[in-house]
């Protein structure tokens, strides 16, 4: 949390702090007790359901007995009348009986017409309505204070280093039950340079893609890989890498550097700012959102195996007024591992937004050391937290919900274009996915498991116990080193689309065999209880596709930003619209970077909506180029491209 230097007197003294700790511990004990009660109630649900059924059966049997007794009474009355007609001398006695009967009717209610049942048993749905593999859990509640941003801070330098995840072993995707052989869609045969002009229109009668803006330039040195992100709001574009920022105020035509270390104070509590920045523009509050994370705390320190992340806001007007500087980013909040009750550090984030909340997902890892002092990290789960947009815009402190998914699965990023509910997914195995959903205003989050249509091919586990998707380039045995994280996710009307990188092969079910790494896409229908709707791919037999990022425009088209390479090609960035079966690049790489060993293209690329014209997409990537003036002899060029259709194809129906 940020330190409030203007409110020193509000800090609790020792006795008060001790009392607060005792109260906190009592609250935790009460919470555990309530959870035990809740769990006990859930265990007794079946027994209570049986009791209700027996009570209902008993009521129906008692009612049937009453009907039978009424019939016996009527038969006795008929018998008395018959006896009177046969024995008139007994009329006086019968009159007495009749009088008694009338008195009986006067004191008792008339017999009601019979009904079949007075109690209708309605059994509880199994598992409270959830299918096998479905469920829900309660979120936790947190509070964050804004960071007190000073006009100046101590100068600090960004030290050149590489970001390698060789110790971050994510859970392996397992072979699932065979559900079917994959039938691939048409391949994507063309990767075209949109600067070269004329190209055939896409299939399906669609209008051609227009490339409205393309910019390229040098990336600030210091951190590799770039892990490109960015967003557009009006004529302002913010682009980020790991620890660098660029600003455009002319709709992406030109960019200027915004030194990260001038904008944000250094993190001296944990491991220092490390990168993995994510940028988004949120039109509901007319602000850019920046997310950045720190490295893990040092061994032996109070914050070992912990980290801090920062969320900061800036409006387009302030970014122009202050040229991207600190004053534009005066609204900041820091979230530490302790704020989430974790002895773990955070890595690989992604961000989305809904009507009222900002949604953030990130992985959590615990760090340990062997006798020689070498560290290793174990996957602790997927953390998600949901921040209210109204309070973010106001720059105040606020409470928020958060949760941790701890199953050993490969989790994905939050969906784009979500409305009021956030969705993300995880691989249960290579034939089943678990889809999560959460609203920022709901105290619970939910999940359900759905089978896919075919088993997709998984990568092997390497010597570092990592799932490693491999694609050879002309100068390297591998330019990807990617895993199966679901980093592409979007909503198209009432469908959820999830995309990830798959390996070469057939997925264990036989049938078609993909020759290269490729992108798999699964679709589910929200209106039919998350029914699986189909699988498609972005693939080519001669080169690989990887790192998909998806978003949906106002014409319900899905734009994609991805990497491609392998065979005779180096790893490069490309964009396109799904269904066109063609992707486009503006600058291709002519070498594989040697900053990392093993080589790795990065963690992610992003595609966003080009606000306010949401027919168009904004995408952020990079190219690696030979450059003999530096060592190693390479440079990275940033790439910004804005693309879309000026009009959608007319309907064939008249």
């Amino acid at each position: 949390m940020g330190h409030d230097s203007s409110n020193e007197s509000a800090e609790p003294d020792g006795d008060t702090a001790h009392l607060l700790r005792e109260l906190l511990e009592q609250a935790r004990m009460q919470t555990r007790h309530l959870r035990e009660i809740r769990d006990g109630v859930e265990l007794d649900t079946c027994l209570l359901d049986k009791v209700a059924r027996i009570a209902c059966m008993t009521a129906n049997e008692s009612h049937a007995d009453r009907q039978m007794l009424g019939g016996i009474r009527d038969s006795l009355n008929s018998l008395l009348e018959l006896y009177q007609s046969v024995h008139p001398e007994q009329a006086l006695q019968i009159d007495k009986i009749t009088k008694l009967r009338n008195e009986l009717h006067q004191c008792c209610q008339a017999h009601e017409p019979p009904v079949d049942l007075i109690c209708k048993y309605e059994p509880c749905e199994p598992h409270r309505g959830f299918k096998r593999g479905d469920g829900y859990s309660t979120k936790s509640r947190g509070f964050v204070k804004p960071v007190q941003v000073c006009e100046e801070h101590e100068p600090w330098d960004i030290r050149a280093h590489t970001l390698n995840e060789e110790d971050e072993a994510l859970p392996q995707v397992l072979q699932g039950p065979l559900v079917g052989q994959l039938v691939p869609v048409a391949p994507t045969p063309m990767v075209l340079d949109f600067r070269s002009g004329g190209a055939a229109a896409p299939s399906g009668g669609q209008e051609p893609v227009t490339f409205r803006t393309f910019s390229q330039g040098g990336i600030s040195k210091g951190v590799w890989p770039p892990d490109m992100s960015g967003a557009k709001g009006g004529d302002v574009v913010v682009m980020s890498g790991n620890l660098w920022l660029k600003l455009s105020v002319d709709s992406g035509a030109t960019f200027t550097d915004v030194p990260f270390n001038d904008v944000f104070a250094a993190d001296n509590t944990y491991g220092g700012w490390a990168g993995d920045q994510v940028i988004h523009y949120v039109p509901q509050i007319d602000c850019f959102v920046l997310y950045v994370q720190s490295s893990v705390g040092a061994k032996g320190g109070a914050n070992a195996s912990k980290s801090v992340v920062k969320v900061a806001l800036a409006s387009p007007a302030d970014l122009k007024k202050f040229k991207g500087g600190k004053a534009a980013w005066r609204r900041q909040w820091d979230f530490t591992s302790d704020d989430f009750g974790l002895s773990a550090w955070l890595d690989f984030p992604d961000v989305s937004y809904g009507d009222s909340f900002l949604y953030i997902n990130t992985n959590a890892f615990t760090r340990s050391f062997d006798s020689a002092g070498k560290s290793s990290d174990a996957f602790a789960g997927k953390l998600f937290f949901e921040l209210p947009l109204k309070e973010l815009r106001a720059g105040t402190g606020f409470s928020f919900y958060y949760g941790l998914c701890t199953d050993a699965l490969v989790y994905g990023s939050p969906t784009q274009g979500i409305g009021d509910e956030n969705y993300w997914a995880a691989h249960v195995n290579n034939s089943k996915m678990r889809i999560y959903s959460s609203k920022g205003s709901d105290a619970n989050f939910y999940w359900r498991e759905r089978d896919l249509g075919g088993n997709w091919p998984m990568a092997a586990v390497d010597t570092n116990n990592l799932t490693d998707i491999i694609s050879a380039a002309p100068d390297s045995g591998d330019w990807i080193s990617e895993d199966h994280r679901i980093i592409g996710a979007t909503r198209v009307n009432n469908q959820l689309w999830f995309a990830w990188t798959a390996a070469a092969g057939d997925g264990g079910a036989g049938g078609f065999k993909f020759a290269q790494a490729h992108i798999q896409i699964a679709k589910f229908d929200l209106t039919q209880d998350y029914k699986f709707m189909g699988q498609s791919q972005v693939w080519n037999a001669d080169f690989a596709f990887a790192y998909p990022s998806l978003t949906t425009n106002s014409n319900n088209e899905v734009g994609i930003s991805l990497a491609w390479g392998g065979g005779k090609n180096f790893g490069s960035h490309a964009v396109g619209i799904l269904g066109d079966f063609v992707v486009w690049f503006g600058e291709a790489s002519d070498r594989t970077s040697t900053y990392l060993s093993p080589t790795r293209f990065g963690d992610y690329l992003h595609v966003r909506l080009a606000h306010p014209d949401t027919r168009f997409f904004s995408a952020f990537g990079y190219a690696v180029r030979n450059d003999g003036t530096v060592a190693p002899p390479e440079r990275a060029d940033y790439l910004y491209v804005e693309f879309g259709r000026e009009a959608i194809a007319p309907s064939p129906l008249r």
Side-chain angles (χ1 to χ4, degrees), residues 325-366:
K326 174 185 286 191
W329 301 97
R330 63 187 179 276
R331 289 167 287 184
Q332 299 180 24
W333 299 262
D334 287 351
F335 299 82
T336 71
S337 300
D338 288 331
D339 295 329
F340 303 109
L342 296 174
S343 294
W345 65 286
L346 309 176
D347 187 51
F348 193 76
D350 209 347
V351 176
S352 185
Y353 62 87
D355 295 334
S356 303
F357 290 87
L358 186 76
Y359 295 100
I360 299 174
N361 288 20
T362 183
N363 288 336
F365 295 89
T366 57

Side-chain angles (χ1 to χ4, degrees), residues 93-111:
Q93 186 67 23
I94 293 174
D95 289 341
K96 292 180 180 180
I97 294 174
T98 302
K99 182 178 179 181
L100 290 173
R101 184 175 62 184
N102 292 334
E103 292 176 354
L104 178 65
H105 278 275
Q106 289 176 359
C107 72
C108 300
Q109 294 181 354
H111 177 62

Side-chain angles (χ1 to χ4, degrees), residues 78-414:
S78 299
L79 180 61
L80 288 173
E81 292 173 355
L82 179 62
Y83 186 82
Q84 182 182 21
S85 64
V86 175
H87 303 281
E89 68 278 6
Q90 299 294 329
L92 180 62
Q93 186 67 23
I94 293 174
D95 289 341
K96 292 180 180 180
I97 294 174
T98 302
K99 182 178 179 181
L100 290 173
R101 184 175 62 184
N102 292 334
E103 292 176 354
L104 178 65
H105 278 275
Q106 289 176 359
C107 72
C108 300
Q109 294 181 354
H111 177 62
E112 298 176 357
V115 294
D116 293 333
L117 295 174
I118 62 170
C119 177
K120 183 179 181 182
Y121 170 65
E122 295 182 357
C124 297
E125 293 185 73
H127 309 290
R128 286 167 292 171
F130 292 99
K131 299 177 181 177
R132 182 179 296 276
D134 297 0
Y136 75 97
S137 184
T138 303
K139 305 175 198 172
S140 299
R141 195 73 167 167
F143 182 84
V144 64
K145 296 189 299 183
V147 174
Q148 300 300 309
V149 179
C150 302
E151 292 185 4
E152 296 183 0
H153 60 250
E154 292 293 327
W156 64 285
D157 294 326
I158 298 174
R159 298 179 181 179
H161 66 284
T162 59
L163 300 179
N164 203 338
E165 299 177 337
E166 63 182 16
D167 293 329
E168 297 174 25
L170 290 175
Q172 182 185 357
V173 179
L174 302 177
Q175 175 71 50
L178 300 183
V179 295
Q181 298 177 351
L182 284 178
V183 179
V185 300
T188 299
M190 297 180 288
V191 182
L192 302 178
D193 185 345
F194 57 74
R195 298 173 302 174
S196 63
S203 62
Q206 294 290 345
E207 296 295 320
V209 176
T210 299
F211 295 88
R212 196 154 57 185
T213 306
F214 176 65
S215 301
Q216 57 192 129
I219 290 177
S220 304
K221 294 182 174 62
V223 183
W224 189 270
D227 291 342
M228 301 292 297
S229 187
K232 180 178 185 290
D235 55 359
V236 176
V237 181
V238 182
M239 180 191 301
S240 71
N242 269 303
L243 281 179
W244 56 263
L245 290 165
K246 289 183 180 291
L247 174 68
S248 172
V249 295
D250 55 9
S251 297
T254 59
F255 286 86
T256 58
D257 284 319
V258 177
F260 182 93
N261 49 349
D262 289 347
V263 174
F264 301 106
D267 164 50
N268 296 314
T269 305
Y270 297 89
W273 297 120
D276 266 13
Q277 289 191 94
V278 179
I279 303 287
H280 229 312
Y281 173 73
V282 183
Q284 285 84 343
I285 57 174
D286 188 29
C287 282
F288 287 87
V289 174
L290 178 149
Y291 177 106
V292 65
Q293 66 189 26
S294 79
S295 293
V296 63
K299 175 187 177 183
N303 293 304
S305 195
K306 297 179 181 179
S307 65
V308 60
V309 298
K310 181 183 292 294
V311 174
L313 260 67
S315 69
D318 282 348
L319 288 168
K320 289 191 285 187
K321 178 179 178 180
F322 299 110
K323 298 181 180 179
K326 174 185 286 191
W329 301 97
R330 63 187 179 276
R331 289 167 287 184
Q332 299 180 24
W333 299 262
D334 287 351
F335 299 82
T336 71
S337 300
D338 288 331
D339 295 329
F340 303 109
L342 296 174
S343 294
W345 65 286
L346 309 176
D347 187 51
F348 193 76
D350 209 347
V351 176
S352 185
Y353 62 87
D355 295 334
S356 303
F357 290 87
L358 186 76
Y359 295 100
I360 299 174
N361 288 20
T362 183
N363 288 336
F365 295 89
T366 57
R367 174 158 291 186
S368 59
F369 298 87
D370 61 18
S371 58
K374 183 179 179 181
S375 66
S376 62
D377 294 305
F379 181 70
K382 171 68 77 172
L383 173 72
F384 65 93
F385 49 111
E386 303 160 338
L387 312 181
L389 294 179
K390 181 179 178 180
E391 283 77 4
L392 286 173
R393 178 171 56 187
T396 63
F398 53 83
S399 61
F400 62 95
Y401 282 122
Y402 67 90
L404 182 70
C405 307
T406 57
D407 286 344
L409 304 175
V410 179
Y411 295 90
S413 298

Side-chain angles (χ1 to χ4, degrees), residues 170-175 410 427-430 456 458-459 467 484:
L170 290 175
Q172 182 185 357
V173 179
L174 302 177
Q175 175 71 50
V410 179
H427 296 302
V428 177
N429 49 52
N430 77 332
W456 53 272
M458 307 165 298
T467 300
H484 298 307

